[in-house]
Amino acid sequence: MCGIVGYVGNNKAQDFLISGLKRLEYRGYDSAGIVTLDKKGKATLLREKGKVSGLESKVSQNARDDQIGIGHTRWATHGEPSERNAHPHQAGDIYLVHNGIIENYKELKDQIKDHQFQSDTDSEVLAALINSFYQGGKHPLSNAVVQALKLVRGTYGIAVISVKNPGEIVVARSGSPLVIGVCQDETLIASDASALVGHTKKAIYLNDGEVATIAKDSISIKTLDSQPVSNKVETIQTDLSAIQKGGYDHFLLKEVMEQPQSLTETLRGRINVKDCTVHLGGPNLSDSELRKIKHIIIVGCGTAYYAGMTAAYYIEKFTPEITIEPVIASEYRYRNAYIPKDSVALIVSQSGETADTLACLREIKKQGIKTIGIVNSIGSTIAREVDGGTYIHVGPEISVASTKAYTSQSIAMIMFGLTIAQAKGVKSNTLAPYIKEIAALPQEIEGLLQSIPDTVKNIAKKYAKKYDHAIYLGRDTAYPTALEGALKLKEISYTDANAYPTGELKHGPIALVDDNAFEFFLLPENDLYDKSLSGLEEVLARGGHAIVVTDKSDFNHPVEQIITVQTGLKLLTPLLLNVVSQLFAYNFAVAKGLPVDQPRNLAKSVTVE
Ligand code: M6R
């Protein structure tokens, strides 16, 4: 949510700032801006409403050789998307870019008398506050930043420069990520390591409560209490191909299509089909600790939450005497929920930075409950704060809508459930079918992706022209799949889509069946197949427009469309059906001519509350 970049070195700052902002644009794309300083401190501030491409044109007409600068791509919180509200914000001698939210900005604003506010943002208040402590350069910029931050309530990742000292950038974080790229004769900063890929492999991740003063050949990090810290230089694992479209029209399609490989990475070294066992090292729990677990809380938002629901349905099928509660982080953080001592909490997040999920993690830790991360982004805040964890290793997910992460998060959590079941002595003949299907899933997805995309595309194109509402339906393990399918459709095609358990239809949602809506039935051939069929019949009897996605090869009901999935799976079929939902939503949005990778109003990695 919002992206920050910064550069100090011997090259043209504008070049890195623009290329970095393009990489970070998936984090926010309402407006963008950069400011650079020449050697005497003369500033060139360029800002533009809309995408980074607009700013790029402005920059090409105002090219500068300046060797220091900071930039920002915005996801609006305070104030509409506009040039005026775009970052960097100026106050006196300083310029600031900010991710996060300053909660007490109104009260701080009332105390600032010597600044004419130009924007509606909370960020400009922070800029003015820093400037008031800076006093025209009487104090070091880092001291002014620290003094200001001590008065602030809220979250921030900031980068600040001063016209009085055009050789340094001060950065600080609390709740919003910041990473420093270490290079020869230049130093880079970004809110996300993907902006650094291709420039350096060496990175320092700032922790909450740390402030760094950066020059082209030095990095000095202190806590807000002025204690020096020496953070580890870590290696950025991502390579360039992982953050490029690789010939696809959209990142979303690329990410759907790469699921056989990304899931293989999730499984690597963790599953032994010969012995039918699962080994997850990361959670760091002994067999005796695993045996004691009686409750699992699964915390996440959006797709990560649905992955948690999916895993919960599965884990309770094969693990005895266990209660599993998937919870939505933004709700859970303010509940007064009692967590029994024999619990473990799975903290699920692709980005590892989601503010609501992070807040739950901290709260749960305070209660002495062991936390296990199911995270994708290596080195992210959640990954660093959990007690143990399993990286899903799917590589960068650039499309705002999450796809490959869902599949791998679900499977990683099911595998965690299997490790508990193993430790509790559940018989191999109960667990083996799940383990075999998990091992087979990458190939099954591969087969599906080779056979089905054209069929799905044709149906999606047709339906995109006809309908404004969608009703997704599924039962049992296919219910979270239905929820996830509806989320995908609404976020990238702006089509009203809701999901219900098929058995709930008659308790209300069936009233929605009319000619403006279609019904997307996820119908795996499982124990509840016949019961799900009754729901379908009830919809058809009321003139519904049903699309059925099923693995039943002889499915023969008078529905508008049948998408048949050929598979050897029995238990994990819903995860295959979900790939069909992903392709359907993608083609539906493309048919409407929408910006699939960057849907309106959304941003990847929601680091504000
Ligand atoms: O990075 P996280 O997994 O914590 O993100 C959680 C949600 O914000 C995310 O899944 C969101 O719902 C996606 N846009 C869904 O496609």
Side-chain angles (χ1 to χ4, degrees):
M1 185 145 285
C2 300
I4 286 179
V5 284
Y7 177 90
V8 50
N10 296 327
N11 293 314
K12 273 175 72 175
Q14 283 183 339
D15 292 347
F16 172 74
L17 297 179
I18 290 295
S19 74
L21 288 182
K22 280 185 173 164
R23 296 256 184 90
L24 299 186
E25 193 164 28
Y26 69 115
R27 295 193 163 243
Y29 30 85
D30 292 337
S31 55
I34 62 171
V35 63
T36 57
L37 303 176
D38 72 10
K39 292 217 160 79
K40 292 188 177 143
K42 183 168 177 284
T44 302
L45 174 67
L46 302 165
R47 300 183 296 184
E48 189 69 15
K49 182 179 169 191
K51 303 239 168 172
V52 176
S53 53
L55 175 68
E56 191 177 17
S57 317
K58 215 172 197 177
V59 168
S60 63
Q61 287 152 30
N62 294 277
R64 297 282 182 275
D65 292 331
D66 305 349
Q67 295 171 335
I68 182 168
I70 53 177
H72 189 263
T73 173
R74 179 170 186 249
W75 185 85
T77 58
H78 299 66
E80 52 168 21
S82 64
E83 189 177 332
R84 189 171 67 81
N85 287 329
H87 302 215
H89 292 291
Q90 183 194 1
D93 295 317
I94 69 129
Y95 290 84
L96 164 140
V97 292
H98 166 228
N99 287 354
I101 289 182
I102 307 301
E103 286 169 10
N104 57 338
Y105 80 102
K106 278 203 177 122
E107 131 211 339
L108 294 171
K109 195 171 183 176
D110 289 344
Q111 291 162 26
I112 298 168
K113 302 289 173 219
D114 55 352
H115 177 73
Q116 286 279 334
F117 285 92
Q118 309 291 323
S119 76
D120 308 320
T121 66
D122 53 335
S123 309
E124 190 184 354
V125 175
L126 181 54
L129 194 62
I130 294 172
N131 187 55
S132 70
F133 287 115
Y134 189 50
Q135 294 192 355
K138 272 198 206 139
H139 306 287
L141 182 59
S142 60
N143 288 10
V145 168
V146 168
Q147 278 180 286
L149 291 180
K150 284 188 172 166
L151 300 178
V152 153
R153 237 184 14 252
T155 54
Y156 54 81
I158 56 167
V160 190
I161 56 176
S162 153
V163 298
K164 292 274 162 61
N165 188 356
E168 73 174 26
I169 307 176
V170 175
V171 296
R173 76 159 270 178
S174 180
S176 236
L178 267 180
V179 48
I180 302 168
V182 185
C183 316
Q184 187 77 32
D185 293 332
E186 57 184 14
T187 308
L188 315 174
I189 56 159
S191 49
D192 173 337
S194 67
L196 308 178
V197 174
H199 297 276
T200 181
K201 280 207 164 288
K202 289 196 264 172
I204 296 173
Y205 293 86
L206 222 57
N207 294 308
D208 278 355
E210 290 177 354
V211 182
T213 305
I214 288 162
K216 67 178 178 185
D217 47 12
S218 67
I219 299 163
S220 144
I221 308 176
K222 290 188 177 162
T223 62
L224 284 178
D225 301 324
S226 300
Q227 296 305 311
V229 276
S230 62
N231 299 30
K232 231 178 39 201
V233 178
E234 299 184 34
T235 305
I236 300 173
Q237 309 283 358
T238 312
D239 62 28
L240 261 182
S241 65
I243 53 171
Q244 288 167 342
K245 282 193 197 142
Y248 287 99
D249 289 344
H250 298 96
F251 280 109
L252 190 141
L253 184 58
K254 178 187 177 221
E255 287 157 10
V256 169
M257 299 304 279
E258 69 193 15
Q259 288 180 101
Q261 296 78 43
S262 56
L263 182 57
T264 301
E265 289 310 314
T266 310
L267 303 186
R268 194 174 296 289
R270 292 168 169 169
I271 193 157
N272 185 332
V273 194
K274 246 193 183 163
D275 316 349
C276 273
T277 51
V278 165
H279 303 277
L280 291 180
N284 224 354
L285 293 166
S286 66
D287 273 5
S288 101
E289 286 173 302
L290 287 167
R291 270 194 294 277
K292 284 186 197 135
I293 296 172
K294 290 251 165 50
H295 301 90
I296 307 178
I297 308 165
I298 308 183
V299 184
C301 300
T303 290
Y305 167 67
Y306 294 144
M309 266 182 92
T310 304
Y313 269 99
Y314 281 105
I315 296 171
E316 65 190 13
K317 286 185 195 300
F318 55 71
T319 312
E321 294 170 7
I322 203 151
T323 318
I324 311 178
E325 193 191 0
V327 295
I328 292 177
S330 56
E331 284 296 307
Y332 195 72
R333 64 185 289 186
Y334 295 112
R335 275 170 57 188
N336 189 22
Y338 166 69
I339 313 178
K341 286 290 166 244
D342 45 11
S343 303
V344 67
L346 299 185
I347 312 295
V348 196
S349 177
Q350 186 287 126
S351 62
E353 301 293 350
T354 301
D356 289 319
T357 311
L358 182 58
C360 289
L361 160 64
R362 290 174 178 164
E363 196 45 50
I364 291 170
K365 275 183 85 167
K366 267 194 224 152
Q367 298 193 33
I369 303 298
K370 188 125 191 175
T371 54
I372 310 290
I374 304 292
V375 172
N376 187 35
S377 286
I378 293 170
S380 56
T381 310
I382 291 176
R384 283 181 293 133
E385 293 196 15
V386 285
D387 299 307
T390 295
Y391 278 121
I392 59 169
H393 289 306
V394 299
E397 199 183 58
I398 310 273
S399 164
V400 166
S402 185
T403 53
K404 60 180 178 175
Y406 168 82
T407 305
S408 284
Q409 286 164 339
S410 304
I411 292 297
M413 284 185 272
I414 296 171
M415 288 202 292
F416 178 70
L418 286 165
T419 61
I420 299 179
Q422 283 170 181
K424 284 182 183 260
V426 176
K427 295 241 163 51
S428 173
N429 57 4
T430 304
L431 304 183
Y434 290 94
I435 295 173
K436 284 186 183 149
E437 291 208 5
I438 290 174
L441 190 57
Q443 277 229 303
E444 290 281 346
I445 298 177
E446 178 83 62
L448 181 76
L449 289 173
Q450 277 168 20
S451 60
I452 213 111
D454 287 344
T455 314
V456 177
K457 182 177 179 178
N458 292 336
I459 298 174
K461 266 167 86 175
K462 218 155 106 190
Y463 278 62
K465 290 200 190 96
K466 260 174 113 176
Y467 298 106
D468 299 326
H469 305 277
I471 304 169
Y472 279 64
L473 295 148
R475 274 197 97 138
D476 192 64
T477 48
Y479 170 50
T481 316
L483 286 161
E484 171 58 10
L487 175 63
K488 282 297 86 82
L489 190 74
K490 73 184 115 184
E491 65 180 335
I492 63 172
S493 81
Y494 316 153
T495 299
D496 173 45
N498 286 301
Y500 306 96
T502 313
E504 270 293 292
L505 260 174
K506 54 192 177 295
H507 298 291
I510 201 161
L512 296 170
V513 172
D514 69 8
D515 288 338
N516 295 315
F518 68 92
E519 298 77 32
F520 198 88
F521 271 88
L522 295 156
L523 207 55
E525 191 182 1
N526 59 17
D527 293 351
L528 291 176
Y529 176 80
D530 289 333
K531 292 192 186 295
S532 304
L533 266 189
S534 319
L536 173 65
E537 294 296 355
E538 286 156 16
V539 165
L540 295 181
R542 286 159 182 83
H545 304 278
I547 301 173
V548 169
V549 189
T550 184
D551 55 335
K552 185 150 176 57
S553 51
D554 57 351
F555 182 84
N556 184 18
H557 289 261
V559 298
E560 278 188 10
Q561 306 289 341
I562 304 170
I563 302 176
T564 311
V565 169
Q566 286 173 358
T567 174
L569 301 179
K570 292 245 166 298
L571 303 164
L572 298 185
T573 315
L575 284 142
L576 273 190
L577 305 189
N578 181 57
V579 175
V580 176
S581 297
Q582 292 171 344
L583 287 169
F584 182 81
Y586 170 72
N587 286 294
F588 200 97
V590 169
K592 284 177 170 278
L594 295 170
V596 173
D597 286 333
Q598 293 172 349
R600 73 179 177 208
N601 305 342
L602 297 179
K604 194 86 176 164
S605 184
V606 185
T607 52
V608 296
E609 198 180 340

